């Protein structure tokens, strides 16, 4: 990555050192006509020109340098666990970039300390600055450089990993600052502009369009952030910079890219400004961010599971589990319910639910509309505060080595063979004393749907099962071609699996 820049510097140095011929004389007539006194009329019209926008808002965009001191273990070597996320996420151990860790003449890499570079923007005249959490995470010193080249040592007011937002404060007055957009006005297809410091190149401007809003990023552990996806070119160093609309208002904070190479590949993600500002206000007031919690585990609804649930479509969030004592349990939400709306806001996908609930203050009363047994039910939930530490359960017990699977039970249209659980196995799984049947042989239909030996079936539809015989009874009523929902515990998680019994015509 450094070679082209080094070549450029070398060529410049050679060109500067060439002697000038003393006998050179200017030509008697110009080789080309001189530039016109007034600019020519553009030959292409209707294209966006961001010049005025950049001149107006550019001074409020800042460069951020987070300095990390070397951290060493008992052997005197750097401790991997203390390497900041900015390095782990983008650089690895041997990925130098111009002016960054590992570059000639640049700061040392993360294993010996160093400087991570990012972007940010001023949000108030008295010196509050927004950036990403991962830009300043683990930093011993954070420096903010303004567009007029002034530098300040910033105080980290607060930083939130889940939203990837950090709020900084510098000792300055009368600063230019950016205004926030109305988050609901951001739509797919709109022009947006990013200003930041990719690879340390201050105040670089790129533009593109909004590709999607409310996007769940499956590659980031940030389920409370409905990302803005764009095709704006974002690279290392753009993190924390503003994403702007054509009015120069901030619609989001540039945060991540999807890339197989470490560089821009056409997919960028920004944190919506309403989510970011909500986190910033809490960080300024309390130093932390509190989020609402229902206490449920949800999963996406497929066309197959919609058929098994009797839903008219695949919209909503399917409740796979309800935590004991949670707001959801107290409100009467049950496994197998499908949340279709919260306070009148439609839940189209399961990923829509966490950001809506997370944005609520603990103690908020919310109206939750669920689909249950063919009808809509409205419930009132009082959300509590999200517990950041969620204990993971142990994995499902596996069949004993050498055990031969039993023959399929008579009348079981799925051919699924279950095995009773011992009290010790239930205890390891965190199950109640009368809950669950281990799968020894899923049968062809269930195996095709994703069921595995060692999974634990908790219920068939809404009917709980606690023994292999109970499982057989529930499955005995399944008809060929019918889709049934199996609630399954696997590796500490719970999910519904839609299984369609093999059609007799196809089987024959």
């Amino acid at each position: 990555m450094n070679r082209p820049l080094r070549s450029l510097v070398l060529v410049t140095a050679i060109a500067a050192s060439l002697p000038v011929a003393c006998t050179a004389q200017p030509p008697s007539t110009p080789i080309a006509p001189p530039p016109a006194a007034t600019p020519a009329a553009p030959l292409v019209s209707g294209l966006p020109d961001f010049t005025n926008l950049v001149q107006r808002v550019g001074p409020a965009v800042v460069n951020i340098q987070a300095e990390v001191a070397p951290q060493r273990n008992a052997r005197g070597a750097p401790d991997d666990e203390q390497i900041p996320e900015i390095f782990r996420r983008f650089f690895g151990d041997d990925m130098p970039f111009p002016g960054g860790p590992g570059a000639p003449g640049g700061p040392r890499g993360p294993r010996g300390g160093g400087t991570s570079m990012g972007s940010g923007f001023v949000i108030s005249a008295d010196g509050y600055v927004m950036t990403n959490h991962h830009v300043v995470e683990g930093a011993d010193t954070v420096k903010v450089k303004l567009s007029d080249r002034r530098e300040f040592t910033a105080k980290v007011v607060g930083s939130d990993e889940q939203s990837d937002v950090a709020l900084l404060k510098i000792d300055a007055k009368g600063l230019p600052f950016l205004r926030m957009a109305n988050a609901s006005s951001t739509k797919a297809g709109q022009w947006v502009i990013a200003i930041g410091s990719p690879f340390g190149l201050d105040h670089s401007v790129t533009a593109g369009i909004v590709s999607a809003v409310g996007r769940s990023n499956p590659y980031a552990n940030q389920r409370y952030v409905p990302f803005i996806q764009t095709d704006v070119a974002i690279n290392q160093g753009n993190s924390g910079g503003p994403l702007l609309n054509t009015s120069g208002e901030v619609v989001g904070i540039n945060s991540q890219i999807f890339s197989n190479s470490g560089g821009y590949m056409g997919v960028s993600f920004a944190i919506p400004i309403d989510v970011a500002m909500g986190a910033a206000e809490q960080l300024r007031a309390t130093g932390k961010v509190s989020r609402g919690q229902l206490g449920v585990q949800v999963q996406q609804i497929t066309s197959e599971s919609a058929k098994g649930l009797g839903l008219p479509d695949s919209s909503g969030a399917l409740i796979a589990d309800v935590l004991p004592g949670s707001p959801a349990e107290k409100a009467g939400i049950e496994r197998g319910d499908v949340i279709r709306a919260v306070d009148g806001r439609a839940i189209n996908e399961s990923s829509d639910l966490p950001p809506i609930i997370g944005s609520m203050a603990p103690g908020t009363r919310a109206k939750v509309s669920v689909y249950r047994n063919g009808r809509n039910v409205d419930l009132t939930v009082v959300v509590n505060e999200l517990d950041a530490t969620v204990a993971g359960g142990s994995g499902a017990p596996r069949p004993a080595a050498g055990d031969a699977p039993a023959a399929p039970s008579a009348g079981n249209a799925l051919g699924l063979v279950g095995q009773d659980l011992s009290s010790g196995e239930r205890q390891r799984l965190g199950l109640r004393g009368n809950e669950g049947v281990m799968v020894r042989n899923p049968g062809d239909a269930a195996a095709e749907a994703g069921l595995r030996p060692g999974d634990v079936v908790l219920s068939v539809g809404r009917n709980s099962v606690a023994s292999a015989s109970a499982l057989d009874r529930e499955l005995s009523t399944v008809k060929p071609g019918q889709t049934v929902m199996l609630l399954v515990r696997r590796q500490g998680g719970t999910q519904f699996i839609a299984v369609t019994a093999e059609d007799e015509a196809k089987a024959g």
Side-chain angles (χ1 to χ4, degrees):
M1 295 175 67
N2 294 317
R3 188 168 300 165
L5 287 184
R6 290 203 298 271
S7 299
L8 177 61
V9 172
L10 181 61
V11 170
T12 303
I14 292 174
S17 64
L18 292 175
V20 178
C22 297
T23 58
Q25 299 292 329
S28 57
T29 59
I31 194 170
T38 58
L43 299 179
V44 180
S45 61
L47 296 178
D49 184 345
F50 305 115
T51 306
N52 290 335
L53 184 152
V54 173
Q55 290 177 347
R56 180 76 61 87
V57 305
V61 181
V62 302
N63 173 272
I64 294 177
Q65 298 182 0
E67 298 179 358
V68 183
Q71 299 289 335
R72 298 183 176 274
N73 57 27
R75 299 188 304 273
D79 190 343
D80 287 352
E81 294 183 357
Q82 296 182 347
I83 296 175
E85 176 65 19
I86 184 70
F87 292 127
R88 292 194 301 269
R89 183 178 297 203
F90 288 121
F91 310 141
D93 296 336
D94 302 304
M95 291 182 62
F97 65 92
R108 298 171 62 192
R111 294 187 183 278
T115 301
S116 67
M117 295 185 294
S119 305
F121 54 98
V122 182
I123 62 173
S124 68
D126 60 348
Y128 279 102
V129 175
M130 294 272 283
T131 188
N132 283 146
H133 162 82
H134 74 258
V135 170
V136 301
E137 185 228 0
D140 298 288
T141 304
V142 177
K143 293 183 178 179
V144 172
K145 182 167 67 176
L146 306 183
S147 60
D148 60 10
R149 320 315 293 175
R150 286 185 293 166
E151 291 190 13
F152 297 86
T153 298
K155 173 187 176 182
V156 179
V157 177
S159 189
D160 178 56
E161 182 177 9
Q162 179 57 231
S163 63
D164 198 18
V165 169
L167 180 65
L168 313 180
K169 181 69 169 64
I170 60 176
D171 187 14
K173 303 292 184 184
L175 298 177
F177 61 91
L178 298 182
R179 297 190 180 279
M180 310 302 128
N182 184 336
S184 62
S185 65
T186 303
K187 308 292 183 184
Q190 291 178 340
W191 280 101
V192 280
I193 303 94
I195 305 178
S197 303
F199 308 112
L201 303 172
D202 289 359
H203 288 79
S204 296
V205 181
T206 52
I209 63 168
V210 174
S211 303
V213 295
R215 180 74 80 194
S216 173
N217 183 352
Y219 307 100
N221 185 26
Q222 292 173 256
R223 59 196 181 106
Y224 295 98
V225 179
F227 286 98
I228 302 170
Q229 179 189 331
T230 78
D231 67 352
V232 178
I234 300 296
N235 283 289
Q236 301 159 10
N238 275 114
S239 288
L243 184 70
L244 304 149
N245 61 21
T246 53
S247 298
E249 299 169 327
V250 183
V251 300
I253 301 179
N254 296 312
S255 175
Q256 300 173 19
I257 59 174
F258 175 83
S259 176
N260 291 324
S261 65
Y264 171 70
M265 293 183 65
V267 180
S268 308
F269 296 100
I271 305 159
I273 195 59
D274 59 333
V275 174
M277 289 304 299
E281 292 292 352
Q282 291 194 57
L283 290 171
R284 183 178 68 165
T286 65
K288 68 171 187 175
V289 177
S290 297
R291 294 180 175 87
Q293 173 183 253
L294 275 184
V296 295
Q297 181 181 331
V298 298
Q299 68 180 81
Q300 188 70 12
I301 299 173
T302 64
S303 57
E304 193 73 8
S305 56
K307 178 181 176 183
L309 293 164
L311 285 167
D313 53 51
S314 58
S315 297
L318 174 58
I319 304 299
D321 201 7
V322 179
L323 298 180
S326 65
E329 185 185 57
K330 294 175 181 177
I333 295 176
E334 303 172 358
R335 290 173 174 171
D337 285 347
V338 176
I339 297 181
R340 306 272 282 183
V342 176
D343 287 340
R345 297 174 63 181
I347 304 297
N348 296 313
E349 301 183 11
S350 60
S351 59
D352 294 341
L353 185 63
I356 292 175
I357 298 298
S359 66
M360 296 179 178
T364 301
R365 298 174 67 87
K367 180 182 177 182
V368 178
S369 299
V370 304
Y371 184 89
R372 176 188 299 170
N373 293 329
R375 63 189 183 93
N376 293 316
V377 179
D378 290 334
L379 303 170
T380 300
V381 181
V382 181
V383 302
N384 65 3
E385 184 170 356
L386 176 68
D387 184 0
T389 59
V390 180
S394 59
R398 312 301 298 178
D403 281 356
S409 304
N412 184 335
L414 299 185
L416 191 158
V417 179
Q419 175 179 305
D420 291 349
L421 288 168
S422 68
S423 58
E425 288 169 336
R426 284 193 172 100
Q427 186 176 6
R428 287 197 301 273
L429 284 165
L431 299 174
R432 293 186 290 270
N434 59 345
E435 189 176 36
V437 180
M438 189 182 74
V439 175
R440 291 190 58 178
N441 184 351
D444 292 342
E448 186 176 348
L451 205 66
R452 309 171 187 169
D455 285 346
V456 175
V457 178
L458 302 179
S459 69
V460 178
R462 290 181 171 274
N463 298 325
S464 299
V465 292
S467 65
S469 59
L471 177 64
D472 286 342
R473 284 195 302 272
E474 293 295 335
L475 294 177
S476 66
T477 62
V478 178
K479 296 177 173 57
Q482 181 181 343
T483 300
V484 62
M485 302 296 291
L486 302 181
L487 183 61
V488 175
R489 175 69 61 89
R490 176 187 297 165
Q491 299 296 327
T494 305
Q495 63 177 322
F496 278 98
I497 295 179
V499 181
T500 301
E502 194 172 54
D503 194 299
E504 287 180 339
K506 293 181 180 179

